[in-house]
Amino acid sequence: EYMGTKGAAVGDEPLIMIRRNNERKASWLRPPQVVRWDVLGVATSWLFGQLASIPLWRPLRSPYYRLWSRVFGANVEEAELPLHEYPCLQEFFTRALKPGLRPIADVDLTSPVDGRVVVLGPVTGDHVEQVKGVTYSVTQFLGEEFTTLLARSSDAASEELAPAAGVRTRSAARVARELNDNDNDIEEPNPFDSENESDLSSVELSDDVISVASCEESDADDVTVLPAARIARTVPRSTMPAAVRNRLWHAVLYLAPGDYHRVHSAASAEIDTLRHFPGTLFPISPLVARLIPNLFALNERVILSGKWRHGYYSQTFVGAYNVGSIVVNFDSSTKTNRLLRDFVNPNLELFSYGGVGCFAYNRAFEPALTISKGEEIGR
């Protein structure tokens, strides 16, 4: 049963242990957490979000957004609305694009965001690159043992996404409509309606989106940095043999502040689990990622996981400094960047590094939600 409820009070769903780290040894040298060591950065990010939500005087909007765009390299000509119609920086930051500017490629896997691919390659062990030469743990990042992911990838590879007789499925669009129907205070258009573009307020997006999916093995070379529009051509359907053994692949995509900050589904998939890991909010630019190992497993993130035609599939929103709020279009009960609620955070206990990725707000979708390739799913 769908557990998320639109308008649910923060803290209604408990933080639970989703996996146990058997290698984590108990020790009297590990004191309980008293103060979050990252409190300053998280509090500053929250404050920035509040300031960015303050409505601007209408005559100031256009010159202010143009100045901001010149500093961060945003293309204001692609914005769906005239600049003076964005009441605050937050809404301009998550602006929609004019229709037709991002056509969807006719391949199995496409870029979910308007960013750059920092790392792309097969997953051969628990540690994979976050930037060249620096790694993070897949187990801690996803909250699921690496060996289990490999098994899921192989087991689901031969299954088709079409529902069997008597099995119910729901689309993410339908869930979004149900949520809107149950909340009389929400008057924004349905973000999944092809005739409308969502322009919800009070939203921000992480500067980074990471996708992990299994796919049939190809001869594609690993890529360190390339435009995200080329990710579909890196593993094209034409290079995939009809019957080969599956491998798990991962990609790290970086969104600069000036990029289009809405997230779309990279593939047609069935999503059965949402996991929200409270964490810190380190900056996640490639420069900082070189300095902090396991950065992506430490930062707050929301993971959507399930399966697609080639096996296991997940797509993850990763929070960052000053952009810690994450919105999932079909699950408005997920609340990120909540310092007071998550003040005692087991994922960040001092001297207990083994606790990373063990605790999350876990939500199961029964039946699974179907999402289409290119569908907007969050920001």
Side-chain angles (χ1 to χ4, degrees), residues 69-378:
S69 299
R70 282 197 294 269
V71 173
F72 293 105
N75 187 350
V76 296
E77 302 304 321
E78 292 186 334
E80 181 185 43
L81 303 176
L83 295 184
H84 64 267
E85 293 191 22
Y86 295 100
C88 62
L89 177 61
Q90 193 174 40
E91 291 202 16
F92 174 72
F93 187 73
T94 57
R95 62 196 176 277
L97 299 179
K98 294 176 181 177
L101 290 181
R102 298 293 185 272
I104 302 171
D106 186 20
V107 292
D108 285 353
L109 186 66
T110 63
S111 175
V113 293
D114 208 13
R116 295 185 69 84
V117 179
V118 179
V119 176
L120 171 66
V123 179
T124 57
D126 182 49
H127 282 80
V128 295
E129 286 188 327
Q130 58 188 28
V131 293
K132 194 170 184 63
V134 183
T135 65
Y136 67 96
S137 165
V138 174
T139 297
Q140 293 177 343
F141 179 71
L142 296 176
E144 194 164 353
E145 298 297 332
F146 172 69
T147 52
T148 304
L149 294 178
L150 292 181
R152 289 182 62 184
S153 175
S154 300
D155 293 343
S158 60
E159 297 181 9
E160 294 293 334
L161 290 180
V167 177
R168 297 185 300 123
T169 62
R170 294 187 300 170
S171 68
R174 176 181 171 186
V175 172
R177 285 194 295 270
E178 290 173 354
L179 293 176
N180 283 334
D181 290 342
N182 292 332
D183 191 339
N184 295 327
D185 295 331
I186 300 297
E187 298 179 357
E188 290 83 4
N190 179 2
F192 292 95
D193 189 338
S194 60
E195 298 180 359
N196 295 308
E197 286 288 343
S198 175
D199 191 23
L200 302 181
S201 59
S202 300
V203 293
E204 297 173 22
L205 179 66
S206 61
D207 266 11
D208 206 74
V209 174
I210 299 176
S211 295
V212 178
S214 61
C215 66
E216 294 167 341
E217 189 168 2
S218 79
D219 296 328
D221 295 328
D222 291 358
V223 178
T224 54
V225 178
L226 75 164
R230 290 180 53 197
I231 188 173
R233 296 199 293 272
T234 305
V235 191
R237 178 183 296 187
S238 61
T239 65
M240 295 181 180
V244 293
R245 141 180 97 81
N246 272 35
R247 297 181 69 183
L248 196 65
W249 286 70
H250 79 111
V252 177
L253 297 96
Y254 172 70
L255 280 73
D259 288 332
Y260 166 65
H261 268 70
R262 297 196 180 192
V263 181
H264 299 254
S265 177
S268 296
E270 290 182 357
I271 302 301
D272 55 33
T273 304
L274 181 152
R275 283 178 176 168
H276 167 208
F277 289 87
T280 189
L281 290 173
F282 282 124
I284 53 177
S285 66
L287 175 62
V288 177
R290 291 185 180 94
L291 302 175
I292 305 177
N294 217 36
L295 172 62
F296 297 149
L298 291 170
N299 272 21
E300 185 165 25
R301 59 201 179 277
V302 174
I303 298 170
L304 304 176
S305 64
K307 64 180 181 180
W308 68 318
R309 61 171 297 183
H310 300 292
Y312 174 77
Y313 177 89
S314 75
Q315 190 166 326
T316 303
F317 304 71
V318 180
Y321 182 69
N322 282 345
V323 277
S325 295
I326 299 171
V327 172
V328 179
N329 286 0
F330 51 84
D331 187 83
S332 61
S333 64
T334 296
K335 307 294 182 183
T336 61
N337 200 11
R338 294 295 189 267
L339 180 60
L340 295 180
R341 181 195 62 185
D342 298 321
F343 193 78
V344 179
N345 186 348
N347 289 329
L348 297 175
E349 286 180 4
L350 195 63
F351 305 127
S352 60
Y353 193 74
V356 174
C358 289
F359 296 85
Y361 298 99
N362 198 62
R363 194 161 306 122
F365 299 110
E366 297 180 4
L369 303 181
T370 58
I371 56 176
S372 302
K373 181 182 64 178
E375 181 178 318
E376 184 188 319
I377 58 175

Side-chain angles (χ1 to χ4, degrees), residues 14-27:
L15 187 69
I16 63 172
M17 179 182 286
I18 60 171
R19 74 177 184 90
R20 182 179 298 278
N21 187 353
N22 294 325
E23 297 178 358
R24 182 181 178 185
K25 298 179 180 179
S27 171

Side-chain angles (χ1 to χ4, degrees), residues 24-43:
R24 182 181 178 185
K25 298 179 180 179
S27 171
W28 63 272
L29 294 175
R30 184 172 63 245
Q33 182 185 28
V34 178
V35 177
R36 280 184 62 161
W37 47 265
D38 63 334
V39 63
L40 181 59
V42 174

